[in-house]
Amino acid sequence: MVLSTGSHNIRTAVFISGTGSNLKSLIDFSKLNKSPISINLIVSNNKHAKGLDYGVIFNIKKKIISFKNKELAEKKLLNELKRHKIELICLAGFMKILSKNFIKNFKGKILNIHPSLLPKYKGLNTHQRAIENKEKYSGCTVHFVNSKLDSGKIIFQKKIKILKKDTPKSLAKKVLAEEHKLYPKAILKVISP
Ligand code: GRF
């Protein structure tokens, strides 16, 4: 248990770079009656990220930060997170690697979701690699973020059978549907009431 809600909802920022379907599932989760979190900020390094639309739809503050200069970007980001009193960060399809210094500021309070059964298939193109290697199973993992890529302590995993007919696309679709269920479950596990 890393976080305690006390009497308030944990103020959460979700970092995205693209579609934002995990962001949407976290917003839905935050709106449930007994949800321990509120989504107070959406961060994107990509101004064209489709997921930013959810900020408009659900009236959530957005911050777009270019990572061309990473040091500067992270400095700005830390200020922004402080300004919004953010306590928990959920990376959801965020394609940038955060520095040790940034992570130190939110130790044990940054989660990530990854579309493989970690420690297998860190990085990109996980579904294609799993199929090429004739794996019987794939899945998704929610883990704490440390300074090494896709390597922090695992919170929850969901295993999914790879069928003979599966393509990277069909597998990605199945795994993504499970991701949407797994992320809220993992958040509940790390937040103590
Ligand atoms: C997900 O598969 C997530 O696990 C990975 O990137 C994808 C993001 O999808 N890190 P979305 O933007 O949440 O739809």
Side-chain angles (χ1 to χ4, degrees), residues 18-23 92-93 112-115 176 179:
T19 316
S21 69
N22 276 290
L23 163 65
N112 182 41
I113 186 149
H114 184 76
L176 197 57
E179 290 183 37

Side-chain angles (χ1 to χ4, degrees), residues 16-23 91-95 112-116 127 140-141 172 175-176 179-180:
I16 62 167
S17 299
T19 316
S21 69
N22 276 290
L23 163 65
L91 308 183
F94 183 63
M95 301 300 282
N112 182 41
I113 186 149
H114 184 76
S116 80
H127 305 303
C140 45
T141 305
V175 171
L176 197 57
E179 290 183 37
H180 299 157

